[in-house]
Amino acid sequence: MTPTDTTSPPSPSLTLTLTLELSLDEANLVLEALGQLPYARVYQFIDRIQEEARTQLAHPGAGHHARESLT
């Protein structure tokens, strides 16, 4: 039995997409945790989270009552 390598990302043909709903505080916590990992491993993921947040917070009615502090 060969151990599975959990550090490599899945191949593009096997990539699945998930939609998650997080509060702004939860998203910031995820970004904070990612900040503890090696930059080369997580920078694209951090960029995707920040871009999605900017897009959603830019729409009228989205995020006006929340603090906009995505790291």
Side-chain angles (χ1 to χ4, degrees):
M1 192 156 139
T2 308
T4 304
D5 179 9
T6 59
T7 59
S8 2
S11 67
S13 62
L14 298 176
T15 301
L16 301 174
T17 301
L18 298 175
T19 301
L20 303 174
E21 290 189 26
L22 302 171
S23 70
L24 191 55
D25 285 339
E26 290 168 333
N28 280 322
L29 182 60
V30 169
L31 290 170
E32 183 180 332
L34 289 171
Q36 301 300 312
L37 296 173
Y39 176 78
R41 188 167 173 206
V42 298
Y43 76 95
Q44 291 175 322
F45 185 45
I46 291 171
D47 288 345
R48 286 186 62 198
I49 292 171
Q50 290 176 331
E51 181 57 33
E52 185 65 31
R54 278 191 291 274
T55 300
Q56 289 184 30
L57 293 174
H59 288 97
H64 288 271
H65 60 283
R67 64 187 170 119
E68 297 180 16
S69 67
L70 265 139
T71 310

